[in-house]
Amino acid sequence: MNIFGKPNAGKSTLLNALIGEKMAIVSPKVQTTRHRIKAILSESDYQIIFSDTPGIIEPKYKLHEKMMQAVKSGLEDADLAILLADVRDDINELDQIFRALKLKVPALVVLNKTDLIKDPLLLQQKETFFKNQSYCKKVLTISALNSTNLNELLEEILNNLSEGEPFYDTESLSDLPTRFFVSELIREKIYGLFQEELPYHSTVLVREYKEATGLVKISADIIVQRESQKAIIIGAKGSMIKKLGTMARLDIESFIGQKVFLELFVKVRPKWRDQDLYLKEYGYHG
Ligand code: GDP
Ligand code: MG
């Protein structure tokens, strides 16, 4: 069960809404989701494994190539695909992208952000267009943000999934380690606090995650490309990194349900996005 769509279509928002936990970070900036995130919805009578893929983009750096590999690997191991689109996007462009995926599994075309469309005719027109495409099994219209029509979507997903034994233990929300979500939560704050290219030039690596009595101690590196970026992240007298740290800590605490002691370090690694060694260390395996 994979969710595909252009950056900003609302994949992470939908995944969060369906799972009811802050599994995938949400940001108005594009390309926030660099990895494939798996989330597991376990109910007594069914289990759905969702993957949130990075947006479909043209590879520009090695990092982008790894992201596209994650998209492609997502195509191969699911029994249903959700093709998610911002309902305001150009339908011909969307159609081209969806075709280019050459899906081998049935797809639900899901038009998101219907809360932003005031003209019901326009919406109907777009629905009809996708209904007639060969890759499309059914069209649904939703608002992931307002949780509109999510039950219908869930029902449609269940109708299309193959029956089988639970694949993951029903307690686990995700197959990715908590560390990964911690680094994503920190990264989300970088996207929120800093402008322009800085967020795209940085990544986060959790160095230490240690449970002590009543507290989890976390040390993380924020990796940037230039000294000037390091200075911006730290801010005057450490004001920015302090703010970032506090925001991240509060979110991590509510995510893991424990008190957290968070230590952040900023490191300069020129061109980390173009070096395989760094990409591996920072968790981009493709
Ligand atoms: P992704 O790149 O596909 O993972 O997209 P995100 O989930 O990060 O969402 C991108 C932006 O669209 C965020 O600012 C979301 O709040 C916004 N968004 C997502 N779903 C909806 C929706 O149903 N309605 C509106 N108005 N905004 C949405
Ligand atoms: Mg996303």
Side-chain angles (χ1 to χ4, degrees):
M1 171 63 247
N2 284 305
I3 305 174
F4 298 102
K6 285 176 41 175
N8 259 334
K11 298 177 292 297
S12 303
T13 308
L14 175 61
L15 193 63
N16 288 338
L18 287 171
I19 301 294
E21 274 271 351
K22 200 168 181 186
M23 294 301 292
I25 63 172
V26 181
S27 154
K29 296 201 178 85
V30 296
Q31 293 173 29
T32 331
T33 310
R34 288 182 189 158
H35 303 258
R36 255 180 94 200
I37 295 175
K38 272 194 181 152
I40 298 156
L41 181 60
S42 282
E43 296 292 334
S44 58
D45 52 346
Y46 63 85
Q47 187 179 51
I48 304 174
I49 300 158
F50 294 97
S51 293
D52 176 17
T53 49
I56 301 159
I57 49 160
E58 290 294 320
K60 205 164 160 191
Y61 303 97
K62 272 224 167 96
L63 170 62
H64 290 171
E65 278 171 37
K66 302 266 179 202
M67 288 161 66
M68 280 313 284
Q69 281 165 22
V71 171
K72 294 224 172 78
S73 83
L75 289 171
E76 279 141 30
D77 64 355
D79 28 23
L80 178 71
I82 290 180
L83 301 175
L84 189 70
D86 185 323
V87 68
R88 297 166 301 171
D89 280 352
D90 180 70
I91 45 175
N92 291 311
E93 190 205 349
L94 289 169
D95 180 47
Q96 260 178 21
I97 293 173
F98 293 161
R99 264 173 212 291
L101 288 172
K102 298 198 184 355
L103 286 174
K104 294 189 180 75
V105 293
L108 304 175
V109 172
V110 177
L111 302 174
N112 186 30
K113 310 195 188 182
T114 53
D115 56 297
L116 298 175
I117 291 263
K118 299 291 165 233
D119 180 0
L121 271 177
L122 191 67
L123 192 60
Q124 221 171 41
Q125 212 182 327
K126 296 192 172 195
E127 268 188 270
T128 311
F129 174 86
F130 284 108
K131 232 174 241 163
N132 291 321
Q133 306 309 320
S134 55
Y135 50 82
C136 173
K137 188 153 188 220
K138 190 159 186 175
V139 185
L140 286 125
T141 55
I142 64 160
S143 165
L145 196 67
N146 298 345
S147 291
T148 309
N149 270 349
L150 292 190
N151 282 333
E152 285 77 358
L153 174 59
L154 199 56
E155 203 167 296
E156 201 52 46
I157 292 170
L158 287 172
N159 286 340
N160 283 284
L161 289 186
S162 51
E163 300 253 348
E165 286 300 302
F167 197 70
Y168 287 96
D169 123 35
T170 47
E171 288 297 296
S172 62
L173 269 170
S174 168
D175 66 337
L176 281 169
T178 312
R179 273 176 193 252
F180 172 71
F181 291 105
V182 168
S183 69
E184 290 285 282
L185 287 171
I186 299 170
R187 219 156 57 73
E188 182 185 51
K189 301 299 168 282
I190 299 176
Y191 273 84
L193 286 174
F194 302 101
Q195 304 296 315
E196 288 157 23
E197 85 278 8
L198 207 162
Y200 303 103
H201 285 185
S202 54
T203 192
V204 174
L205 182 65
V206 174
R207 288 262 170 220
E208 191 190 6
Y209 185 97
K210 225 168 48 195
E211 305 207 22
T213 34
L215 183 101
V216 179
K217 184 172 180 279
I218 299 170
S219 305
D221 290 348
I222 296 173
I223 316 288
V224 293
Q225 291 191 304
R226 292 195 287 271
E227 289 293 338
S228 59
Q229 294 169 333
K230 177 174 171 175
I232 292 171
I233 292 212
I234 291 173
K237 295 190 177 127
S239 56
M240 289 313 281
I241 188 104
K242 201 170 157 195
K243 193 164 165 186
L244 198 162
T246 305
M247 288 165 68
R249 179 179 53 78
L250 292 173
D251 261 21
I252 297 166
E253 284 178 344
S254 84
F255 182 72
I256 63 179
Q258 272 176 291
K259 282 261 165 243
V260 165
F261 176 77
L262 178 65
E263 250 184 335
L264 294 175
F265 302 91
V266 187
K267 292 187 178 163
V268 180
R269 297 277 183 273
K271 302 205 168 155
W272 68 264
R273 294 190 302 174
D274 254 340
Q275 291 175 20
D276 270 335
L277 199 69
Y278 284 142
L279 288 175
K280 235 184 212 128
E281 188 182 354
Y282 304 147
Y284 299 107
H285 303 290

